[in-house]
Amino acid sequence: MNRPTSALLRGYRCECHTSRPANVDATTLLGSIDVETAPQAVRWIRVALRTLSPALNSEAYEEAWQWLSEDHHDALHALVQGEPVTLTLQQGPTAIQWTARPVQFLKLTTRQGINLPACTREYSDPARQRE
């Protein structure tokens, strides 16, 4: 007898927000991603930091490179242990914050190897969607 499989998948939700002191309650979501593994979550933050670091002031630049060279190991360990991680850099009046946290995603059904409704053929051709 087959055991039922869980409808939940483990993963990580990563986000990058900015905020300014003049508007304390308002944050702006700059980007987000859902990934399957802790290394993917840390990699997403590291790529963003490497991309942004040349534009940072000297203090934020030093903090970014400290995280890139050393502290990302602690972040990876925390995520694997089920703990969320946060990295915040201050660039002038703007705070830039990256977060990654463990989450559970609802498993969606696969579209491979099953009979799909006839209407799905209407939306599988990008050229037809423009009509």
Side-chain angles (χ1 to χ4, degrees):
M1 182 173 169
N2 291 341
R3 292 179 75 177
T5 59
S6 173
L8 298 176
L9 298 173
R10 294 182 188 268
Y12 299 85
R13 173 72 178 173
C14 308
E15 297 177 344
C16 180
H17 292 90
T18 60
S19 61
R20 293 179 151 236
N23 208 356
V24 176
D25 294 331
T27 62
T28 302
L29 177 65
L30 296 180
S32 65
I33 188 171
D34 299 325
V35 295
E36 295 177 2
T37 68
Q40 290 171 329
V42 170
R43 186 177 313 120
W44 184 77
I45 296 171
R46 292 185 79 208
V47 167
L49 272 179
R50 278 194 219 107
T51 303
L52 182 63
S53 65
L56 296 173
N57 62 38
S58 60
E59 186 177 330
Y61 179 86
E62 292 298 324
E63 289 180 48
W65 280 99
Q66 173 63 35
W67 198 91
L68 286 167
S69 59
E70 299 293 329
D71 297 346
H72 72 277
H73 297 294
D74 295 335
L76 179 60
H77 180 72
L79 287 172
V80 168
Q81 297 301 316
E83 301 169 15
V85 297
T86 300
L87 169 64
T88 303
L89 299 177
Q90 193 68 38
Q91 173 69 16
T94 303
I96 309 165
Q97 183 176 75
W98 288 269
T99 60
R101 59 184 166 33
V103 295
Q104 291 185 340
F105 299 107
L106 182 61
K107 184 191 293 186
L108 300 177
T109 60
T110 179
R111 292 176 51 127
Q112 297 174 338
I114 61 172
N115 293 326
L116 298 173
C119 65
T120 60
R121 286 188 280 284
E122 292 180 36
Y123 301 103
S124 63
D125 182 8
R128 292 193 75 186
Q129 291 178 1
R130 286 184 235 126
E131 294 175 355

